[in-house]
Amino acid sequence: MSLPIKFRPILLIFIFIFGTVAIALTSGVLAYQASLIPGSRLINPDDLVKILRSPNSTKPLMIQVGSHVLYTQAHIPGSEYIGPASSESGLQLLRKRVEPLPRNKLIVIYCGCCPWSHCPNVKPADDALKTMGFTNVKVLYISNNFGADWVEKGFPVAKGD
């Protein structure tokens, strides 16, 4: 059974409008997902710096899950670049990197591409690690961006790959 020809344009308009609204809503949800990470899984820059500077503390595996451009411009010394965790390829690289590690290994993930409430990368990375059974994951809370919340505060920085 097919629709009469006079209803087809109306159906196409409805599908277009509904599809556009669905895409907009999905994009909005993805853009604000970092705010859904529980506070117990966050670490502030000051606290991470204390761990990194302490001679007695076990150093975490630090993984930057944002853009490569951001990583080459400035990153936390000793951190590794994996790729944007908002993409399936970035998540696959993350899973591959951590697969052989003990599930209680301290892992710190961070991005810093944009204000926290707009970051599309940290939540998918955190979810992937949680799903894999990692119990000691911290997400570096960068409220504005890596430049303002890390570099401009005089915390240690490395550049390049």
Side-chain angles (χ1 to χ4, degrees), residues 52 60-63 71 75-81 97 110 157-158:
L52 297 176
L61 169 62
M62 294 176 295
I63 300 175
Y71 182 83
H75 59 270
I76 300 170
S79 65
E80 299 177 21
Y81 174 73
R97 171 61 182 94
Y110 71 100
V157 173

Side-chain angles (χ1 to χ4, degrees), residues 31 70 111-121 142-146 149:
L70 177 64
C111 181
C113 66
C114 55
W116 181 258
S117 62
H118 291 79
C119 182
N121 295 305
I142 299 175
S143 61
N144 296 304
N145 60 60
F146 190 74
D149 298 323

